[in-house]
Amino acid sequence: MSAIGLRTPVAPASGLRGPVRVLLRQHRRALWVAGALLVLGVAVVVGLRIWVAVASSAERCADGDTTRCGDGSYLPTYARTASEVYLASGGTAVLLLAGLVGVFVAGPLIARELESGTFRLAWAQSASPAQWLAARLALPAALATAGMTVLVLVYRWGWSGIRSNPQASGLSWFQSGIHPALGPTAVAYALLAVAVGALCAVVVRRTVLSMSLTALVLGTVMLGFGKRRYDLWPTVRALGGDYPSGDAWYTESGMLTASGKELYWKDCILAGSPESFTGCLRNRGGITGFVDYHPASHFWPLQLVETGILLVLAAAAVALAFRVLRRRHG
């Protein structure tokens, strides 16, 4: 018997290993680009921290002032001001990266194969339609989770170092350009992007239209949370001028009437009153001032509630994508 006849045949890869391996080969250039973006993001944050540390030799005061301490003027180094400007957009950058992940999943990863018909080759071999779609969800989800986790940890490190300066501006934890990059919300947005991209692809089955629809859906969700994030957790109310100090997120203010009715400062703006806000509110019956706000301790509740909602939406999109695929292809 020949040596060839004694060889044991190699069994095909089971489960998702085979389709995932094929995806890694097909889209290795996109993976290299994604890795380069990850390295670039980490390098920018690390570089900013190093730049600020090197430039600190020109600072004469504990608050980063380069002029005489206590003279009423404050002039930071260019490294510190530039770092504050760049880091203030970290959350926006994370959302854009999540959007790119969703658009890639919707277009080149799924819809292009459905549009061209190349999916039939994979289905004719060892992969079922469910395995085919599962591989196209599992791979980007795993890579996006790992990448976003690294970015969040590095960004928090860079942000906390610059934010520790008492004179730092534009780096509050609640700002829409920062908050998404400080916790698990970033990972949740990436997973939602993968799920929405897959759903749009199997529904539309056209590359450009799927990518456009994914961008529209994700943009709407991101904008909606950015506008209404403060409603995700009950605020704290301070009365009578006993307002909080520190890094609090003020959401509403006004005055209360004798009956407890709330009068908001925007009521006077809409009325076009030429009086001061306080005078206008008192003329309307206001007696005691109030402020609704989120203290810094609300950071994690807000993060976790938003993350939970996003994960529920992602799970629903994934379930619907499999249902649509099963209905059309069995």
Side-chain angles (χ1 to χ4, degrees):
M1 184 179 294
S2 65
I4 297 177
L6 294 175
R7 289 179 183 174
T8 303
V10 179
S14 59
L16 298 179
R17 291 177 57 190
V20 168
R21 196 173 301 167
V22 172
L23 283 178
L24 289 173
R25 288 199 300 266
Q26 286 180 335
H27 301 283
R28 56 185 178 274
R29 291 184 180 178
L31 292 176
W32 279 110
V33 172
L37 289 176
L38 176 62
V39 172
L40 178 62
V42 171
V44 167
V45 177
V46 174
L48 290 176
R49 280 292 299 267
I50 295 175
W51 188 20
V52 171
V54 172
S56 63
S57 59
E59 298 174 350
R60 304 174 60 182
C61 310
D63 61 358
D65 193 2
T66 59
T67 63
R68 188 174 61 182
C69 300
D71 62 354
S73 62
Y74 178 77
L75 182 63
T77 61
Y78 179 71
R80 188 171 292 278
T81 55
S83 298
E84 292 175 2
V85 171
Y86 290 134
L87 290 176
S89 301
T92 303
V94 163
L95 294 181
L96 289 176
L97 288 175
L100 288 176
V101 170
V103 168
F104 176 78
V105 171
L109 203 61
I110 298 179
R112 187 167 64 187
E113 293 199 23
L114 292 174
E115 184 176 15
S116 62
T118 55
F119 66 93
R120 295 187 180 90
L121 178 61
W123 294 1
Q125 298 175 351
S126 59
S128 66
Q131 288 177 329
W132 178 85
L133 181 58
R136 280 153 179 76
L137 285 168
L139 179 61
L143 296 178
T145 298
M148 282 296 185
T149 300
V150 172
L151 285 178
V152 167
L153 294 176
V154 173
Y155 180 77
R156 281 188 65 91
W157 170 76
W159 170 82
S160 61
I162 304 299
R163 184 69 182 87
S164 61
N165 181 6
Q167 296 291 341
S169 60
L171 294 178
S172 297
W173 61 270
F174 53 81
Q175 292 181 319
S176 58
I178 292 179
H179 190 272
L182 292 178
T185 301
V187 178
Y189 273 112
L191 294 178
L192 177 65
V194 172
V196 170
L199 176 59
C200 292
V202 298
V203 171
V204 178
R205 300 170 62 87
R206 295 292 182 271
T207 303
V208 176
L209 288 179
S210 297
M211 296 169 69
S212 302
L213 182 58
T214 299
L216 178 62
V217 172
L218 292 176
T220 301
V221 173
M222 293 172 181
L223 182 62
F225 275 105
K227 293 291 186 181
R228 308 297 299 184
R229 182 170 288 121
Y230 60 86
D231 285 331
L232 297 178
W233 194 257
T235 57
V236 177
R237 172 162 292 182
L239 299 174
D242 186 19
Y243 301 148
S245 58
D247 203 12
W249 182 8
Y250 293 90
T251 60
E252 194 58 88
S253 63
M255 299 187 76
L256 299 176
T257 65
S259 62
K261 180 183 177 181
E262 298 170 342
L263 300 174
Y264 299 103
W265 65 269
K266 58 188 177 184
D267 294 336
C268 286
I269 292 180
L270 294 177
S273 172
E275 304 170 81
S276 66
F277 292 146
T278 302
C280 173
L281 291 173
R282 290 194 181 279
N283 290 339
R284 291 169 173 260
I287 298 177
T288 304
F290 75 89
V291 168
D292 294 335
Y293 68 98
H294 286 292
S297 60
H298 283 191
F299 166 77
W300 281 111
L302 288 167
Q303 274 274 332
L304 294 177
V305 170
E306 185 172 356
T307 299
I309 296 174
L310 292 173
L311 292 179
V312 169
L313 293 176
V318 169
L320 188 57
F322 275 100
R323 183 174 181 178
V324 171
L325 185 68
R326 184 169 59 251
R327 177 172 295 181
R328 289 183 174 180
H329 300 283

